[in-house]
Amino acid sequence: MNALNDRGGRGDLAVLTDRADLIELLGRYADISDRKEYTELPGLVFTDPLTLDFESVAGMPPMTVPLGDYLDNLRTAFAAYTATHHAITGHVVDIDGDSARIHAHVRAEHWLPEELAGEGPHRWLVVGFYDNEAMRTPDGWRLSRVRLTATYQENPHLAGVAMAAAQAKAG
C-alpha cells in the first residue's frame, strides 16, 4: 500500500481523483438530510440496495434495504427537525480497485422545534465515526455500506420524540 492508500495499482493522479470523489461523496451524503433533498442526491450517493448499520444509535442490527425504502424511512426520521448539521471530517480513504473504505469523524446535530422539545433541550448531538464502503459504478463512486459508530450522544431521547411526531403527522 502506498502513501495514498491505493492497492489497485493505479497512478497517483487517478488515486487523488478517486480520493477527492470519495470525500465529496460523504459531503453529498450529509447534504441529503441537512438540505432535506431526497430526490436527486440519493441517486448520486448510494447503490441500490445498500447496507445500513446504525445499531449504535438506533439499536437495530445492520440490514440491506432497497434505496427507496431507506429514503422513505429517512424522510420520516428527519421530518420533525427544524434543522440538522452533519460535519464529516478527518477522512481516511483506502482504495482497492473499484472498491473503497472511508473512515471519517462525524459530529451530527439535530434541532427540534420548541413545540416538540418543550422546556427541555432542543438539540440531539451525535459524535462518532463513519466506516463506510463504496464501489465504483458506471456513474461514479456510490456508498454501498454506511456504518455509524456513536461514541457520544447528548439528549438521545429527542430522536424518539422526532420519530413519534413524524409518525403522528403521517397518520
Side-chain angles (χ1 to χ4, degrees):
M1 180 171 13
N2 69 25
L4 295 173
N5 295 331
D6 172 45
R7 292 189 301 239
R10 301 178 70 216
D12 286 349
L13 183 57
V15 172
L16 288 172
T17 300
D18 283 343
R19 181 173 165 31
D21 290 347
L22 289 160
I23 292 169
E24 185 173 317
L25 186 62
L26 289 190
R28 286 187 187 135
Y29 169 68
D31 277 347
I32 292 170
S33 55
D34 291 350
R35 293 174 53 201
K36 296 187 179 192
E37 202 292 279
Y38 306 109
T39 306
E40 292 181 31
L41 276 177
L44 299 173
V45 173
F46 300 113
T47 61
D48 187 6
L50 72 147
T51 301
L52 304 166
D53 182 351
F54 296 116
E55 188 168 9
S56 70
V57 291
M60 298 169 29
M63 63 185 80
T64 300
V65 298
L67 180 55
D69 292 355
Y70 173 56
L71 293 176
D72 289 344
N73 189 9
L74 197 62
R75 274 187 204 95
T76 300
F78 283 88
Y81 292 107
T82 304
T84 63
H85 181 77
H86 293 73
I88 304 173
T89 63
H91 304 81
V92 177
V93 176
D94 185 15
I95 302 168
D96 187 3
D98 290 336
S99 63
R101 289 187 310 267
I102 312 144
H103 173 83
H105 302 250
V106 62
R107 178 184 175 100
E109 300 183 72
H110 314 76
W111 289 272
L112 280 177
E114 187 174 325
E115 62 267 15
L116 292 179
E119 297 294 319
H122 294 208
R123 184 194 64 169
W124 171 36
L125 170 67
V126 179
V127 176
F129 302 96
Y130 278 116
D131 287 292
N132 297 340
E133 296 174 13
M135 48 192 306
R136 189 189 318 269
T137 73
D139 298 318
W141 288 100
R142 299 295 185 265
L143 293 174
S144 57
R145 180 180 177 89
V146 175
R147 179 176 182 221
L148 171 62
T149 302
T151 57
Y152 177 76
Q153 292 187 65
E154 287 178 3
N155 309 308
H157 69 281
L158 293 177
V161 172
M163 186 59 82
Q167 289 172 340
K169 186 175 181 179

